[in-house]
Amino acid sequence: MLLTQPKTENTSLQYLQPSSETEGEISPNQMLAPLTARVNESDRLEIGGCDVTELLAQFGSPLYILDEYTLRTACRQYRDAFIRHYPGASQVIFASKAWSCLAVCAVIASEGLGFDVVSGGELYTTRQAGISADRIYFHGNNKSREELQYAYSEGCTIMVDNWLELEMLAEIATSETPIAIMVRLTPGIECHTHDYIRTGHLDSKFGFDPNQLPEVFTWIRDRPQLNFIGLHAHIGSQIFERQPHQDLGGVMVEWLQSAIAAGLQVKTLNIGGGLGIRYTEADDPPSIEEWVGAACRAVVKACDTHNLPYPKLMCEPGRSLVGSSCVTAYTVGSRKEIPDLRTYIAVDGGMSDNPRPITYQSVYRAVLANRMSAPLSETITVAGKHCESGDVLIKDAKLPQTRAGDVLVVLGTGAYNNSMASNYNRIARPAAAIVNEGEASLILERETYADLIRQDRLPQRLRES
Ligand code: LLP
């Protein structure tokens, strides 16, 4: 059963279909399930040509399943949309905080994208994945001297966030080997998303206040060890409106102009990430093509108005690149029925592999991978296995009659799930497999009990004699 079939209601199949009669290519961020999701002859969910129920038998449960085709499609759509809509140079970089691991980096790098890293650890991961430093941009509001030194010695570009960092960089870099920097500012642009993931409003810990910029520009201009290349802003995440990024394009071009007026050479403008994805039927994000097109038009218009040459235009999506390309498969376990109140089913993971529901009240959709066309006859709450009442993955999920041993698949878990996972309750983090054209390969080993105590040290005096 393919994505193009007529709409099916009240079975899990509905989650595999586009939200509306989409014209042209389907944008991965508008789909609840990966693009290759289909149902096989055994009425089971297949992703990347692999039967999800069999994948659990092969790799164990729970399991992150990453669809390579969907991830590559999202990368390509971003890249191509810039080429179509922007007359100047452009570069898309992956905000690797969304999912930093060797295989994800390798796939994205092979599509020609660059990388945004926010810690020495993310930088190390991208370098170990073989990504050259000229494609890596180092973010963060409190980078340590060691991290800056590391990034400098590797040759990355630094997204400078504050005065302390500027001072440290001026000490670390030399005028013979200057360090490339971009300056991050908080543009004062509001967008509608969860408070914790808004960053562009003035009361934010990230970046320079625009009022400080004239002073920052002069300071940088007088230091030949700092090679200023441009400006950056990121206004938030999981955004469905196009207007904030259009406004941002205009505002940023004005700041580019004042950098030029201060005597700096401006080559690059980075408008951050933020495009949302569809976690539920109610979510209606623009396509990658629409989002990129709107942002490009705003920048082109502002440059034309100010008679400014087009800078190299960059953006740095995380969620909309990996979010929809991955699902998490769990095994259903215990069940608790509270008459006239609620029925719980519990799965063999929860807030340790997906902390987003408990952190941001995020809502997800799930399907029963081993009985895809069964009617959605139950409204039940899917709980995790952690010792915490709030460890609920989905409230009031519509599912078929479930039994212990069923395979429950939560959709859209590629972004900020593995990367925010923990070992709460000393539960081992799941394995991850990448699937493509019927082949599945491990990309993250499942943690073992031994892994859980690997960093533990027991001082001699505490050992039992
Ligand atoms: N650039 C910067 C500077 C960022 O801070 C972020 C995300 C991005 C790009 C990528 O944004 P995206 O395209 O993924 O929206 N843990 C939260 C999301 C935090 C986002 C942090 N910054 C969540 O699970 O919703």
Side-chain angles (χ1 to χ4, degrees):
M1 272 164 229
L2 290 173
L3 300 171
T4 46
Q5 288 224 334
K7 292 224 175 288
T8 318
E9 297 303 333
N10 298 326
T11 71
S12 297
L13 301 176
Q14 67 187 285
Y15 297 122
L16 311 192
Q17 293 160 342
S19 53
S20 55
E21 296 321 315
T22 326
E23 284 205 6
E25 204 184 10
I26 295 169
S27 189
N29 71 314
Q30 295 182 315
M31 293 292 292
L32 289 166
L35 300 178
T36 63
R38 64 184 287 276
V39 179
N40 64 20
E41 317 64 57
S42 318
D43 197 28
R44 300 205 303 212
L45 177 65
E46 240 181 58
I47 296 176
C50 298
D51 183 316
V52 168
T53 308
E54 282 170 19
L55 288 176
L56 274 205
Q58 185 183 350
F59 294 102
S61 175
L63 181 69
Y64 297 114
I65 301 168
L66 173 65
D67 182 35
E68 186 174 335
Y69 176 79
T70 306
L71 178 55
R72 286 190 186 280
T73 302
C75 292
R76 182 173 44 73
Q77 288 186 359
Y78 263 107
R79 215 184 45 214
D80 293 354
F82 269 96
I83 293 168
R84 251 195 304 281
H85 295 285
Y86 193 64
S90 58
Q91 187 179 19
V92 180
I93 64 177
F94 170 53
S96 69
K97 74 205 79 178
W99 192 352
S100 177
C101 74
L102 296 179
V104 168
C105 288
V107 171
I108 293 177
S110 72
E111 292 294 331
L113 275 62
F115 290 81
D116 142 5
V117 300
V118 294
S119 65
E122 284 185 2
L123 171 55
Y124 180 77
T125 306
T126 47
R127 293 292 288 131
Q128 290 296 306
I131 289 135
S132 62
D134 60 356
R135 283 210 258 170
I136 304 176
Y137 295 77
F138 198 133
H139 271 287
N141 69 310
N142 191 23
K143 307 174 187 80
S144 68
R145 185 177 287 271
E146 291 70 31
E147 285 176 319
L148 291 173
Q149 188 75 56
Y150 176 30
Y152 176 60
S153 64
E154 294 287 312
C156 314
T157 301
I158 310 287
M159 316 301 267
V160 180
D161 195 274
N162 53 64
W163 278 111
L164 174 65
E165 203 180 306
L166 268 183
E167 284 158 11
M168 287 196 285
L169 285 172
E171 285 163 18
I172 291 169
T174 63
S175 44
E176 295 76 49
T177 317
I179 185 155
I181 61 167
M182 294 183 70
V183 169
R184 175 169 184 172
L185 61 105
T186 42
I189 287 176
E190 299 285 335
C191 54
H192 297 116
T193 187
H194 193 288
D195 258 1
Y196 293 176
I197 54 182
R198 277 194 314 158
T199 49
H201 52 305
L202 289 173
D203 182 7
S204 156
K205 69 171 182 166
F206 297 104
F208 287 95
D209 185 290
N211 296 323
Q212 298 175 302
L213 286 181
E215 200 187 338
V216 169
F217 292 153
T218 325
W219 201 89
I220 294 173
R221 188 198 57 204
D222 296 340
R223 289 180 174 69
Q225 65 273 47
L226 303 180
N227 173 23
F228 175 87
I229 61 167
L231 292 178
H232 168 278
H234 169 76
I235 55 178
S237 197
Q238 185 59 357
I239 301 171
F240 291 162
E241 309 144 285
R242 268 167 277 184
Q243 196 59 43
H245 283 92
Q246 282 170 255
D247 296 347
L248 180 66
V251 169
M252 294 299 282
V253 167
E254 285 176 24
W255 284 111
L256 284 184
Q257 236 197 343
S258 47
I260 293 168
L264 291 170
Q265 276 205 4
V266 174
K267 304 186 191 94
T268 309
L269 171 59
N270 183 331
I271 56 167
L275 171 60
I277 70 168
R278 188 156 193 253
Y279 287 107
T280 75
E281 307 83 316
D283 295 335
D284 188 19
S287 67
I288 291 173
E289 166 87 19
E290 288 165 336
W291 186 86
V292 171
C296 289
R297 279 189 294 278
V299 172
V300 166
K301 187 169 164 215
C303 287
D304 290 348
T305 307
H306 295 285
N307 204 15
L308 212 69
Y310 301 130
K312 173 172 167 181
L313 185 56
M314 296 177 64
C315 74
E316 50 193 23
R319 190 189 313 270
S320 52
L321 279 174
V322 283
S324 317
S325 55
C326 180
V327 303
T328 309
Y330 303 92
T331 304
V332 174
S334 63
R335 180 183 183 97
K336 175 176 180 181
E337 292 183 14
I338 312 170
D340 303 322
L341 190 56
R342 188 179 294 282
T343 298
Y344 286 95
I345 56 163
V347 294
D348 52 353
M351 61 183 283
S352 60
D353 58 77
N354 183 358
R356 298 194 69 258
I358 200 166
T359 313
Y360 314 113
Q361 300 76 51
S362 309
V363 184
Y364 283 88
R365 287 290 176 257
V367 301
L368 214 55
N370 54 322
R371 283 202 304 284
M372 287 296 287
S373 59
L376 307 181
S377 51
E378 287 204 302
T379 300
I380 46 180
T381 291
V382 179
K385 64 175 285 165
H386 298 81
C387 291
E388 183 136 343
S389 307
D391 176 29
V392 163
L393 285 176
I394 308 176
K395 264 199 190 125
D396 300 326
K398 302 262 183 293
L399 286 168
Q401 193 71 38
T402 52
R403 326 184 252 270
D406 277 338
V407 176
L408 183 108
V409 164
V410 176
L411 304 170
T413 58
Y416 307 107
N417 276 228
N418 171 261
S419 62
M420 289 174 65
S422 76
N423 288 126
Y424 183 45
N425 296 153
R426 288 250 145 161
I427 289 178
R429 272 178 278 237
I434 190 165
V435 291
N436 194 36
E437 295 186 355
E439 240 186 70
S441 326
L442 197 64
I443 59 169
L444 286 173
E445 288 276 358
R446 183 175 307 283
E447 283 176 338
T448 62
Y449 288 153
D451 290 330
L452 294 174
I453 60 160
R454 175 151 299 142
Q455 309 302 125
D456 290 17
R457 296 293 175 267
L458 191 56
Q460 193 59 44
R461 68 185 181 78
L462 298 180
R463 287 170 206 245
E464 274 189 65
S465 51

